[in-house]
Amino acid sequence: MKSVSITIDGKAVEVPADYTILQAAREAGISIPTLCHDERLEPFGACRVCVVKVEGARALLPACATPVSEGMRIWTDLEEVRRARRTVIELLLSDHPNDCMVCERSGSCELQDLAYEYGVREPRFQGERHTYEVLDDNPLIERDYNKCIVCGRCVRICREVQGVGVYDFINRGFDAIPGTPYGRSLPETPCEFCGQCVSTCPTGALVSIPYKGKGRAWQVTKVRTTCPYCGCGCQVDLHVRDGKVVGASSPVMVGPGQGNLCVKGRYGYEFIHHPDRLTRPMVRKGGELVEVSWDEALDEVAGRLKEIMEENGPDSVAFLCSARCTNEENYLLQKLARAVVGTNNVDHCARL
Amino acid sequence: MTNSIDDLEKADCILVTGSNTTEAHPIVGLRIKRAVMKNDCKLIVAEPRRIRLCDYAHLWLKQLPGTDVALLNGMMNVILEEGLADEEFIRERTEGFEEFKKVVERYTPERAAEICGVPADQIREAAHIFASAERAAIVYCMGITQHTTGVDNVLSLANLAMLTGNIGKEGAGLNPLRGQNNVQGACDMGGLPNVLPGYQSVQDPRAREKFARVWGVENLPEKPGLTVMEMMEAAAQGKVKALYIMGENPMVSDPDIRHLQEALDKVELLVVQDIFLTETARRAHVVLPAASFAEKEGTFTNTDRRVQRVRKAVEPPGDAREDSWIVAEVSRRLGYDMGDVSASAVMEEIASLTPQYGGISYQRLEELGYLHWPCPTPDHPGTPILHVEKFTRGKGLFSAVEFKPPAELPDEEYPFYLTTGRILFHYHTGTMTRRSAGIEALASTNEVWMNPEDARELGVEEGEHVVVQSRRGAIRIRAKLTEDMPQKVLFIPFHFGESPANALTNPALDPVAKIPEYKVAAVRVLVGKEAEGVDVVSLSSTG
């Protein structure tokens, strides 16, 4: 790819010719705010919060949707630029509930961050406000259009990334929102409940019901791990608060999923703290499984294994390791079979 | 996979066969859909059911279950006949072409069509699209492998990839999707009866000697062990007397549950190490509570051979312990001290003995996020694409493969094909997903999927409970009528212990891979009065 030379805020940079201004700026370490942008999506240019001044252009241009060109001189932090962005934020807040106190997304809300950065406490514009009913027509995804800023990220991610297209804009002008066909509930649409829409929503308009009220951004620690379901190997951040997994998300553009998950990888974690979890070793006594100490259980296993091996040879013992356990654990179990018991009777469900 | 998941979006054509990708591997499905939507990749789906990917496909080859070899040979016949083969690739990189050609020449599209039910014209069109793509990828899953001809099916796909020069380059390759988070890793780690870690044969004296030295034992067993199905058979015969199961639930995942139950009940010692009291654990003599993935350090290796970290987020409940600790404690009591079994220390030992993992360490994974094996040395960047310049065995070997029918076909007594698989909302035996309330609420009931025309003939209404019966057992299950099913073919997901699909499946095995034929069995449907009083298999409802 050919490269072009441009300057951003007076800094000379060279970038590939197919970059947008936003990409060039990010690469140069210059931050430009965005709302309708997500790296997983095609540029859209809807929110206008990323506007910048390009010398020679008649109006301010959206950085996310404007390609760079040779010799372009870009200014991202002029007063006129900041004023334009501020107006956009004020307009958005003029029809947005000021309920950050109880909002699930407080602390990870892109609109809140911008209001903070641009010091918007009260919007200049007072006018009509929408009052929509909060939709919780399914057990996983809640829709609160009162908080929707009509950035179209949910519409686009469902169509461009998930390839399903549950949402599209309905109504016009001030009443436009991303709705479902005929206002159907999500289970009545082809929704796959992947939660990609939740993951891209910049505000609290789309929220994961199972994780609601369990902990906000600053209250949780994220632990990067690998999804325990199928073999795709998506990277998952488990959200941990007070020793409990209270949420899950996927880092954008990282790993095979690039920030996308499926319904299992996003919502399948309640099993971790389920009351059915085994918590004590058990040994069968008089036909019943009875809770015992680790020492007793392990002595029982080793003692009976020894007896069986001595009487019938090592090949009378067989092991199933696990496609669900780690490499290290599987390695140790086959080592136990081969080096300690002395049998190659070790297999797992690779065939099943 | 010979190629990486990221690579799929570079393909000009993708053939998906025996994989309901959007449900069983949703993220790979997502990447395939993007390839179609963004890059105009031509998608061919070969599959009896109308799966979601069919909506994105250029061509849907609606084949009969268990006819893959015929369909693929038919496509390759066209490619040869019309001079679409990659002759340079065949000449320079492969061997065995002539014998292969002789067999394929006999599978004209018309003959293939008779066997697989796909019209000859569609076979021709699929062959044209696949062979004329600059980069064509093959994606397959258990719909290819879980047959008595599973190996033949895979060899046929390998033939197709080699015939068109689609191995060892970007956007192409032969890409099996592995069904569990770490099934690839469990195989890599020697969780197989014939190989030590890194696929080093137990019959190779040098390999045994190398491992014995590092493990500090005099010798290691030479005779290959039993595969899972053979283990269960040996247990039923009283030859295997102790069975130690770590994190598996064969009572729901294995075929012919009744027979398996007898086998498990016969062993003198059944040890189950798991996170829940599964159907299998319920029958154990000793149950050992293990830590879940969120409660331990380690690595998983995904379907594209990507080794990635698992990190501890929370403490295990009660007295549950990490599997590594449990195994080491059993080992110690048997007189062998495993030493430091922390995950990073074990990975060091793995790297020292397993050439493919030689350059993998926790330090590098921390820095890079992941490494694709083979990664032989600490400065090696990993290998996202296999067989780039030469095949692991040198030349790629064409195999001459004849079509063989499945072990059990529908007949007058059992007139329906049964095929089994996963649905989007659940995972394997359901122990985890069925305990996630939101997911379970969206998909809590097992259903037999049936074509409405078949239902009309049987007199079955949507939602009615019927009995599905095979020669091995019967289950009671709700009927779901859907045009997505072809006539005379039924589908039952295998996640649900209360109506276990595997009470019906056929344990007939592929002679080489020993994989059971989950994808084809003959069954009948009993309705109304006929269904009364039938002895049905039902295990607990949540694993």
Side-chain angles (χ1 to χ4, degrees), chain A residues 162-163 192 226 229 231-233 256 264 279 282 284 294-295 299 304 316 322 324 328 331 338 347 351-352, chain B residues 31 33 52 56 181 190 192 228 241 244 247 254 268 282 284-285 287 302-303 308-309 319 333 349 362 424 513:
Chain A
Q162 194 64 17
E192 295 173 352
T226 302
Y229 285 105
C232 292
K264 301 180 284 281
T279 57
M282 291 187 283
R284 193 169 294 277
W294 269 111
D295 273 334
D299 285 343
R304 295 194 59 188
S316 62
S322 176
R324 317 287 288 130
E328 292 76 5
Y331 175 85
R338 294 187 161 113
D347 199 7
R351 297 171 181 83
L352 309 175
Chain B
R31 305 297 291 268
K33 288 188 280 188
R52 270 218 173 158
Y56 304 81
N181 55 330
L192 296 169
V228 52
K241 294 186 186 300
Y244 191 116
D254 289 18
E268 290 171 24
R282 258 166 246 220
H285 301 104
V287 177
N302 83 339
T303 189
Q308 303 183 112
R309 280 296 314 276
D319 291 342
R333 284 168 163 82
E349 184 175 318
Y362 275 47
L424 174 65

Short mmCIF file of all heavy atoms in Angstrom, two decimals, chain A residues 162-163 192 226 229 231-233 256 264 279 282 284 294-295 299 304 316 322 324 328 331 338 347 351-352, chain B residues 31 33 52 56 181 190 192 228 241 244 247 254 268 282 284-285 287 302-303 308-309 319 333 349 362 424 513:
data_model
loop_
_atom_site.label_atom_id
_atom_site.label_comp_id
_atom_site.label_asym_id
_atom_site.label_seq_id
_atom_site.Cartn_x
_atom_site.Cartn_y
_atom_site.Cartn_z
N GLN A 162 -22.39 -9.86 12.55
CA GLN A 162 -23.10 -11.10 12.87
C GLN A 162 -23.85 -11.62 11.64
O GLN A 162 -24.18 -12.79 11.57
CB GLN A 162 -24.06 -10.85 14.05
CG GLN A 162 -24.62 -12.10 14.70
CD GLN A 162 -23.55 -12.97 15.36
OE1 GLN A 162 -22.44 -12.51 15.61
NE2 GLN A 162 -23.86 -14.22 15.62
N GLY A 163 -24.10 -10.73 10.70
CA GLY A 163 -24.77 -11.16 9.47
C GLY A 163 -26.21 -11.55 9.68
O GLY A 163 -26.75 -12.37 8.95
N GLU A 192 -29.65 -14.15 17.64
CA GLU A 192 -28.88 -15.29 18.13
C GLU A 192 -28.35 -15.04 19.55
O GLU A 192 -27.60 -15.85 20.09
CB GLU A 192 -27.71 -15.57 17.16
CG GLU A 192 -28.25 -16.00 15.79
CD GLU A 192 -27.18 -16.14 14.71
OE1 GLU A 192 -26.02 -15.76 14.94
OE2 GLU A 192 -27.54 -16.63 13.62
N THR A 226 -9.41 -17.59 28.26
CA THR A 226 -9.88 -18.17 27.00
C THR A 226 -11.23 -18.82 27.26
O THR A 226 -11.42 -19.51 28.27
CB THR A 226 -8.85 -19.20 26.49
OG1 THR A 226 -7.61 -18.54 26.30
CG2 THR A 226 -9.29 -19.81 25.16
N TYR A 229 -15.86 -22.86 26.06
CA TYR A 229 -16.83 -23.65 25.30
C TYR A 229 -16.18 -24.30 24.08
O TYR A 229 -15.33 -25.15 24.22
CB TYR A 229 -18.07 -22.81 24.99
CG TYR A 229 -18.93 -22.64 26.24
CD1 TYR A 229 -18.97 -21.46 26.95
CD2 TYR A 229 -19.64 -23.73 26.74
CE1 TYR A 229 -19.72 -21.35 28.12
CE2 TYR A 229 -20.39 -23.62 27.90
CZ TYR A 229 -20.44 -22.43 28.58
OH TYR A 229 -21.19 -22.33 29.73
N GLY A 231 -14.13 -24.87 20.28
CA GLY A 231 -12.71 -24.78 19.96
C GLY A 231 -12.26 -23.50 19.29
O GLY A 231 -11.12 -23.41 18.85
N CYS A 232 -13.14 -22.49 19.20
CA CYS A 232 -12.74 -21.25 18.53
C CYS A 232 -11.62 -20.53 19.27
O CYS A 232 -10.77 -19.89 18.68
CB CYS A 232 -13.93 -20.31 18.36
SG CYS A 232 -15.17 -20.92 17.19
N GLY A 233 -11.66 -20.61 20.60
CA GLY A 233 -10.60 -19.98 21.39
C GLY A 233 -10.74 -18.49 21.55
O GLY A 233 -9.74 -17.76 21.61
N PRO A 256 -9.37 -14.81 18.08
CA PRO A 256 -10.15 -15.26 16.93
C PRO A 256 -11.50 -14.55 16.79
O PRO A 256 -12.00 -14.38 15.69
CB PRO A 256 -10.38 -16.76 17.22
CG PRO A 256 -9.29 -17.13 18.16
CD PRO A 256 -8.99 -15.91 18.97
N LYS A 264 -23.07 -18.45 24.33
CA LYS A 264 -22.43 -19.23 25.41
C LYS A 264 -21.23 -18.48 25.97
O LYS A 264 -21.04 -18.38 27.18
CB LYS A 264 -22.00 -20.61 24.88
CG LYS A 264 -23.15 -21.43 24.33
CD LYS A 264 -22.68 -22.78 23.80
CE LYS A 264 -21.99 -22.73 22.47
NZ LYS A 264 -22.87 -22.62 21.30
N THR A 279 -18.19 -29.64 45.99
CA THR A 279 -17.30 -28.90 46.90
C THR A 279 -16.54 -29.81 47.86
O THR A 279 -15.62 -29.37 48.53
CB THR A 279 -18.09 -27.89 47.74
OG1 THR A 279 -19.11 -28.62 48.45
CG2 THR A 279 -18.75 -26.83 46.88
N MET A 282 -16.04 -37.27 47.64
CA MET A 282 -17.03 -38.25 48.10
C MET A 282 -16.56 -39.67 47.79
O MET A 282 -15.94 -39.91 46.76
CB MET A 282 -18.37 -38.00 47.41
CG MET A 282 -19.05 -36.72 47.85
SD MET A 282 -20.72 -36.55 47.16
CE MET A 282 -20.34 -36.05 45.51
N ARG A 284 -18.06 -43.78 47.89
CA ARG A 284 -19.28 -44.58 48.02
C ARG A 284 -19.16 -45.53 49.21
O ARG A 284 -18.21 -46.30 49.30
CB ARG A 284 -19.54 -45.37 46.74
CG ARG A 284 -20.94 -45.98 46.67
CD ARG A 284 -21.24 -46.52 45.28
NE ARG A 284 -21.33 -45.48 44.27
CZ ARG A 284 -22.41 -44.73 44.03
NH1 ARG A 284 -23.52 -44.90 44.74
NH2 ARG A 284 -22.40 -43.81 43.08
N TRP A 294 -10.15 -34.95 51.83
CA TRP A 294 -9.29 -35.22 50.66
C TRP A 294 -8.39 -36.42 50.94
O TRP A 294 -8.22 -37.28 50.08
CB TRP A 294 -8.44 -34.00 50.32
CG TRP A 294 -9.09 -33.09 49.33
CD1 TRP A 294 -9.57 -31.84 49.57
CD2 TRP A 294 -9.36 -33.36 47.94
NE1 TRP A 294 -10.11 -31.31 48.42
CE2 TRP A 294 -10.00 -32.22 47.39
CE3 TRP A 294 -9.14 -34.46 47.11
CZ2 TRP A 294 -10.39 -32.14 46.06
CZ3 TRP A 294 -9.54 -34.39 45.77
CH2 TRP A 294 -10.16 -33.25 45.26
N ASP A 295 -7.81 -36.48 52.15
CA ASP A 295 -6.90 -37.59 52.45
C ASP A 295 -7.59 -38.93 52.28
O ASP A 295 -7.06 -39.83 51.65
CB ASP A 295 -6.36 -37.45 53.88
CG ASP A 295 -5.11 -36.58 53.91
OD1 ASP A 295 -4.42 -36.53 52.86
OD2 ASP A 295 -4.85 -35.94 54.95
N ASP A 299 -6.55 -41.49 49.40
CA ASP A 299 -6.02 -42.80 49.85
C ASP A 299 -6.84 -43.93 49.25
O ASP A 299 -6.31 -44.96 48.85
CB ASP A 299 -6.03 -42.89 51.38
CG ASP A 299 -4.91 -42.04 52.00
OD1 ASP A 299 -3.97 -41.68 51.26
OD2 ASP A 299 -4.99 -41.73 53.20
N ARG A 304 -6.94 -48.49 46.06
CA ARG A 304 -7.66 -49.44 45.21
C ARG A 304 -6.98 -49.58 43.84
O ARG A 304 -6.97 -50.65 43.27
CB ARG A 304 -9.12 -49.03 45.09
CG ARG A 304 -9.78 -49.16 46.47
CD ARG A 304 -11.26 -49.10 46.44
NE ARG A 304 -11.87 -50.14 45.62
CZ ARG A 304 -13.17 -50.17 45.34
NH1 ARG A 304 -13.96 -49.22 45.82
NH2 ARG A 304 -13.68 -51.12 44.61
N SER A 316 -5.18 -53.14 33.31
CA SER A 316 -6.55 -53.25 33.80
C SER A 316 -7.06 -51.89 34.29
O SER A 316 -8.17 -51.75 34.78
CB SER A 316 -6.63 -54.27 34.94
OG SER A 316 -5.83 -53.83 36.02
N SER A 322 -9.22 -35.01 29.44
CA SER A 322 -10.37 -34.18 29.13
C SER A 322 -10.09 -33.08 28.13
O SER A 322 -9.14 -32.31 28.28
CB SER A 322 -10.89 -33.53 30.42
OG SER A 322 -11.94 -32.66 30.12
N ARG A 324 -11.76 -30.62 28.04
CA ARG A 324 -12.21 -29.42 28.73
C ARG A 324 -11.12 -28.87 29.66
O ARG A 324 -11.17 -27.73 30.06
CB ARG A 324 -13.45 -29.73 29.58
CG ARG A 324 -14.46 -30.60 28.88
CD ARG A 324 -15.23 -29.90 27.81
NE ARG A 324 -16.16 -28.96 28.35
CZ ARG A 324 -16.24 -27.69 27.94
NH1 ARG A 324 -15.43 -27.25 27.02
NH2 ARG A 324 -17.14 -26.88 28.45
N GLU A 328 -1.79 -28.48 30.56
CA GLU A 328 -0.92 -28.93 31.64
C GLU A 328 -1.58 -30.08 32.40
O GLU A 328 -0.91 -31.06 32.76
CB GLU A 328 -0.64 -27.75 32.58
CG GLU A 328 0.21 -26.63 31.96
CD GLU A 328 -0.55 -25.72 30.98
OE1 GLU A 328 -1.78 -25.87 30.84
OE2 GLU A 328 0.10 -24.86 30.36
N TYR A 331 -1.52 -33.21 30.30
CA TYR A 331 -0.15 -33.73 30.29
C TYR A 331 0.11 -34.54 31.56
O TYR A 331 0.64 -35.64 31.52
CB TYR A 331 0.83 -32.55 30.17
CG TYR A 331 2.27 -32.95 30.27
CD1 TYR A 331 2.96 -33.39 29.16
CD2 TYR A 331 2.95 -32.89 31.49
CE1 TYR A 331 4.29 -33.78 29.25
CE2 TYR A 331 4.27 -33.26 31.59
CZ TYR A 331 4.94 -33.70 30.46
OH TYR A 331 6.25 -34.10 30.57
N ARG A 338 1.04 -43.28 32.17
CA ARG A 338 2.18 -43.94 31.52
C ARG A 338 3.35 -44.17 32.46
O ARG A 338 3.91 -45.27 32.53
CB ARG A 338 2.63 -43.11 30.31
CG ARG A 338 1.57 -43.08 29.23
CD ARG A 338 2.03 -42.41 27.95
NE ARG A 338 1.14 -42.81 26.86
CZ ARG A 338 0.30 -42.00 26.21
NH1 ARG A 338 0.26 -40.72 26.51
NH2 ARG A 338 -0.48 -42.47 25.26
N ASP A 347 -7.26 -41.92 26.89
CA ASP A 347 -7.95 -41.36 25.73
C ASP A 347 -8.88 -40.27 26.23
O ASP A 347 -8.95 -39.99 27.43
CB ASP A 347 -8.74 -42.46 25.00
CG ASP A 347 -9.10 -42.08 23.55
OD1 ASP A 347 -8.62 -41.04 23.07
OD2 ASP A 347 -9.85 -42.84 22.91
N ARG A 351 -13.20 -38.05 19.82
CA ARG A 351 -14.00 -38.69 18.77
C ARG A 351 -15.49 -38.46 18.96
O ARG A 351 -16.27 -38.91 18.13
CB ARG A 351 -13.71 -40.19 18.78
CG ARG A 351 -12.26 -40.53 18.46
CD ARG A 351 -11.97 -42.00 18.70
NE ARG A 351 -10.58 -42.31 18.41
CZ ARG A 351 -9.59 -42.13 19.26
NH1 ARG A 351 -9.82 -41.64 20.45
NH2 ARG A 351 -8.35 -42.43 18.94
N LEU A 352 -15.87 -37.85 20.10
CA LEU A 352 -17.30 -37.81 20.43
C LEU A 352 -17.89 -36.40 20.35
O LEU A 352 -17.21 -35.44 20.30
CB LEU A 352 -17.52 -38.38 21.83
CG LEU A 352 -16.87 -39.74 22.04
CD1 LEU A 352 -17.03 -40.17 23.47
CD2 LEU A 352 -17.45 -40.79 21.11
N ARG B 31 -16.98 -15.44 10.92
CA ARG B 31 -15.91 -15.08 9.99
C ARG B 31 -16.26 -15.54 8.57
O ARG B 31 -15.92 -14.89 7.60
CB ARG B 31 -14.57 -15.69 10.44
CG ARG B 31 -14.15 -15.32 11.87
CD ARG B 31 -13.91 -13.83 12.09
NE ARG B 31 -12.74 -13.31 11.43
CZ ARG B 31 -11.52 -13.24 11.99
NH1 ARG B 31 -11.32 -13.65 13.22
NH2 ARG B 31 -10.50 -12.74 11.32
N LYS B 33 -19.35 -15.85 7.38
CA LYS B 33 -20.39 -14.94 6.90
C LYS B 33 -19.78 -13.63 6.43
O LYS B 33 -20.17 -13.07 5.41
CB LYS B 33 -21.43 -14.68 8.01
CG LYS B 33 -22.33 -15.88 8.29
CD LYS B 33 -23.46 -15.54 9.25
CE LYS B 33 -23.01 -15.52 10.69
NZ LYS B 33 -24.13 -15.39 11.64
N ARG B 52 -28.28 -22.51 8.97
CA ARG B 52 -28.30 -21.06 8.74
C ARG B 52 -27.33 -20.62 7.66
O ARG B 52 -27.59 -19.68 6.92
CB ARG B 52 -28.00 -20.31 10.04
CG ARG B 52 -29.27 -20.03 10.79
CD ARG B 52 -29.23 -18.66 11.47
NE ARG B 52 -30.56 -18.40 12.02
CZ ARG B 52 -30.80 -17.55 12.99
NH1 ARG B 52 -29.83 -16.87 13.53
NH2 ARG B 52 -32.02 -17.39 13.43
N TYR B 56 -26.56 -17.92 3.38
CA TYR B 56 -25.46 -17.09 2.88
C TYR B 56 -24.76 -17.77 1.70
O TYR B 56 -23.84 -17.24 1.13
CB TYR B 56 -24.43 -16.85 4.00
CG TYR B 56 -25.04 -16.23 5.23
CD1 TYR B 56 -25.72 -17.02 6.16
CD2 TYR B 56 -24.96 -14.86 5.42
CE1 TYR B 56 -26.31 -16.44 7.27
CE2 TYR B 56 -25.54 -14.28 6.54
CZ TYR B 56 -26.22 -15.08 7.46
OH TYR B 56 -26.80 -14.50 8.54
N ASN B 181 -13.14 -26.66 23.74
CA ASN B 181 -12.12 -25.65 24.00
C ASN B 181 -10.70 -26.18 23.91
O ASN B 181 -9.81 -25.54 23.41
CB ASN B 181 -12.36 -25.02 25.37
CG ASN B 181 -12.43 -26.06 26.47
OD1 ASN B 181 -12.84 -27.19 26.25
ND2 ASN B 181 -12.03 -25.69 27.66
N GLY B 190 -0.79 -35.87 24.35
CA GLY B 190 -0.69 -37.32 24.48
C GLY B 190 -1.89 -37.94 25.18
O GLY B 190 -1.77 -39.04 25.74
N LEU B 192 -4.03 -39.61 24.11
CA LEU B 192 -4.43 -40.61 23.12
C LEU B 192 -3.66 -41.89 23.42
O LEU B 192 -2.54 -41.83 23.92
CB LEU B 192 -4.09 -40.11 21.70
CG LEU B 192 -4.83 -38.85 21.22
CD1 LEU B 192 -4.21 -38.33 19.94
CD2 LEU B 192 -6.31 -39.15 21.01
N VAL B 228 -11.40 -44.84 23.75
CA VAL B 228 -12.51 -44.73 24.70
C VAL B 228 -13.57 -45.80 24.47
O VAL B 228 -14.03 -46.45 25.42
CB VAL B 228 -13.09 -43.30 24.70
CG1 VAL B 228 -13.45 -42.79 23.35
CG2 VAL B 228 -14.30 -43.21 25.60
N LYS B 241 -10.65 -52.88 34.90
CA LYS B 241 -11.29 -52.98 36.22
C LYS B 241 -11.33 -51.63 36.95
O LYS B 241 -12.08 -51.47 37.90
CB LYS B 241 -10.57 -54.01 37.07
CG LYS B 241 -10.71 -55.42 36.50
CD LYS B 241 -10.12 -56.46 37.41
CE LYS B 241 -10.14 -57.83 36.76
NZ LYS B 241 -11.49 -58.29 36.43
N TYR B 244 -10.53 -44.15 35.49
CA TYR B 244 -10.30 -42.86 36.11
C TYR B 244 -10.67 -41.80 35.08
O TYR B 244 -10.03 -41.68 34.05
CB TYR B 244 -8.82 -42.75 36.49
CG TYR B 244 -8.45 -41.58 37.37
CD1 TYR B 244 -7.95 -41.78 38.65
CD2 TYR B 244 -8.58 -40.27 36.91
CE1 TYR B 244 -7.60 -40.71 39.46
CE2 TYR B 244 -8.24 -39.20 37.71
CZ TYR B 244 -7.75 -39.43 38.98
OH TYR B 244 -7.39 -38.36 39.78
N GLY B 247 -13.02 -34.96 34.09
CA GLY B 247 -13.73 -33.95 33.29
C GLY B 247 -14.37 -34.45 32.02
O GLY B 247 -14.31 -33.77 31.00
N ASP B 254 -21.45 -40.45 25.01
CA ASP B 254 -21.05 -41.65 24.26
C ASP B 254 -22.26 -42.34 23.64
O ASP B 254 -23.38 -42.20 24.12
CB ASP B 254 -20.29 -42.62 25.18
CG ASP B 254 -18.92 -42.08 25.55
OD1 ASP B 254 -18.70 -40.87 25.39
OD2 ASP B 254 -18.07 -42.87 25.99
N GLU B 268 -14.56 -52.21 38.95
CA GLU B 268 -14.40 -52.29 40.40
C GLU B 268 -14.15 -50.92 41.00
O GLU B 268 -14.45 -50.67 42.17
CB GLU B 268 -13.24 -53.23 40.74
CG GLU B 268 -13.57 -54.68 40.45
CD GLU B 268 -12.35 -55.59 40.58
OE1 GLU B 268 -11.40 -55.22 41.30
OE2 GLU B 268 -12.36 -56.66 39.95
N ARG B 282 -22.37 -39.78 39.15
CA ARG B 282 -23.36 -40.44 40.01
C ARG B 282 -23.11 -41.93 40.19
O ARG B 282 -23.58 -42.54 41.13
CB ARG B 282 -24.74 -40.29 39.39
CG ARG B 282 -25.54 -39.23 40.07
CD ARG B 282 -26.70 -38.92 39.20
NE ARG B 282 -26.46 -37.56 38.77
CZ ARG B 282 -27.40 -36.65 38.68
NH1 ARG B 282 -28.62 -36.96 38.89
NH2 ARG B 282 -27.09 -35.43 38.35
N ALA B 284 -20.05 -43.24 40.25
CA ALA B 284 -18.65 -43.44 40.66
C ALA B 284 -18.52 -44.01 42.05
O ALA B 284 -19.44 -43.91 42.87
CB ALA B 284 -17.91 -42.11 40.58
N HIS B 285 -17.37 -44.61 42.32
CA HIS B 285 -17.01 -45.02 43.67
C HIS B 285 -16.37 -43.87 44.43
O HIS B 285 -16.54 -43.73 45.63
CB HIS B 285 -16.07 -46.21 43.63
CG HIS B 285 -16.66 -47.40 42.92
ND1 HIS B 285 -16.30 -47.75 41.65
CD2 HIS B 285 -17.62 -48.26 43.30
CE1 HIS B 285 -17.01 -48.81 41.27
NE2 HIS B 285 -17.82 -49.13 42.25
N VAL B 287 -15.68 -39.61 43.99
CA VAL B 287 -15.90 -38.37 43.24
C VAL B 287 -14.97 -37.30 43.79
O VAL B 287 -14.96 -37.05 45.00
CB VAL B 287 -17.37 -37.90 43.36
CG1 VAL B 287 -17.58 -36.58 42.64
CG2 VAL B 287 -18.32 -38.97 42.81
N ASN B 302 -6.57 -23.98 20.75
CA ASN B 302 -7.84 -23.94 20.03
C ASN B 302 -7.76 -24.68 18.71
O ASN B 302 -6.75 -25.32 18.38
CB ASN B 302 -8.32 -22.49 19.86
CG ASN B 302 -7.65 -21.82 18.67
OD1 ASN B 302 -6.60 -22.27 18.22
ND2 ASN B 302 -8.26 -20.79 18.15
N THR B 303 -8.81 -24.55 17.93
CA THR B 303 -8.93 -25.34 16.71
C THR B 303 -7.90 -24.96 15.66
O THR B 303 -7.58 -25.77 14.80
CB THR B 303 -10.37 -25.23 16.15
OG1 THR B 303 -10.52 -26.17 15.10
CG2 THR B 303 -10.67 -23.83 15.62
N GLN B 308 -3.22 -20.50 24.02
CA GLN B 308 -3.60 -19.27 24.71
C GLN B 308 -3.76 -19.52 26.21
O GLN B 308 -4.06 -20.63 26.62
CB GLN B 308 -4.93 -18.73 24.15
CG GLN B 308 -4.90 -18.48 22.65
CD GLN B 308 -6.19 -17.88 22.11
OE1 GLN B 308 -6.22 -16.76 21.69
NE2 GLN B 308 -7.27 -18.64 22.12
N ARG B 309 -3.62 -18.47 26.98
CA ARG B 309 -3.65 -18.60 28.43
C ARG B 309 -5.07 -18.72 28.99
O ARG B 309 -6.03 -18.14 28.47
CB ARG B 309 -2.99 -17.37 29.08
CG ARG B 309 -1.47 -17.39 29.12
CD ARG B 309 -0.91 -18.51 29.97
NE ARG B 309 -1.59 -18.63 31.24
CZ ARG B 309 -1.30 -17.91 32.33
NH1 ARG B 309 -0.32 -17.04 32.30
NH2 ARG B 309 -1.98 -18.09 33.45
N ASP B 319 -13.97 -27.23 49.07
CA ASP B 319 -12.69 -27.91 49.03
C ASP B 319 -12.26 -28.30 47.61
O ASP B 319 -11.31 -29.05 47.43
CB ASP B 319 -12.75 -29.20 49.86
CG ASP B 319 -12.87 -28.91 51.35
OD1 ASP B 319 -12.56 -27.76 51.74
OD2 ASP B 319 -13.27 -29.81 52.11
N ARG B 333 0.73 -40.67 46.11
CA ARG B 333 0.30 -41.82 46.91
C ARG B 333 0.61 -43.14 46.21
O ARG B 333 0.57 -44.20 46.84
CB ARG B 333 -1.20 -41.71 47.22
CG ARG B 333 -1.47 -40.69 48.30
CD ARG B 333 -2.95 -40.37 48.38
NE ARG B 333 -3.30 -39.73 49.63
CZ ARG B 333 -3.16 -38.45 49.89
NH1 ARG B 333 -2.65 -37.65 48.99
NH2 ARG B 333 -3.51 -37.94 51.06
N GLU B 349 8.18 -28.26 31.17
CA GLU B 349 8.45 -29.68 30.93
C GLU B 349 7.86 -30.10 29.58
O GLU B 349 8.49 -30.83 28.81
CB GLU B 349 7.86 -30.52 32.07
CG GLU B 349 8.19 -32.01 31.96
CD GLU B 349 7.71 -32.81 33.17
OE1 GLU B 349 7.86 -32.32 34.31
OE2 GLU B 349 7.18 -33.92 32.96
N TYR B 362 5.27 -19.46 29.25
CA TYR B 362 4.32 -18.49 29.80
C TYR B 362 4.79 -17.06 29.57
O TYR B 362 3.98 -16.16 29.35
CB TYR B 362 4.05 -18.77 31.29
CG TYR B 362 2.96 -19.81 31.45
CD1 TYR B 362 3.01 -20.98 30.70
CD2 TYR B 362 1.89 -19.61 32.28
CE1 TYR B 362 2.01 -21.93 30.80
CE2 TYR B 362 0.88 -20.55 32.40
CZ TYR B 362 0.94 -21.71 31.66
OH TYR B 362 -0.06 -22.64 31.74
N LEU B 424 -27.23 -23.98 19.04
CA LEU B 424 -26.48 -22.78 19.44
C LEU B 424 -26.41 -22.58 20.95
O LEU B 424 -25.38 -22.24 21.50
CB LEU B 424 -27.13 -21.55 18.78
CG LEU B 424 -26.58 -20.19 19.18
CD1 LEU B 424 -25.14 -20.03 18.72
CD2 LEU B 424 -27.43 -19.08 18.60
N ALA B 513 -10.08 -44.71 12.87
CA ALA B 513 -10.14 -43.66 13.88
C ALA B 513 -10.96 -44.07 15.10
O ALA B 513 -10.92 -43.40 16.12
CB ALA B 513 -10.73 -42.39 13.28
#
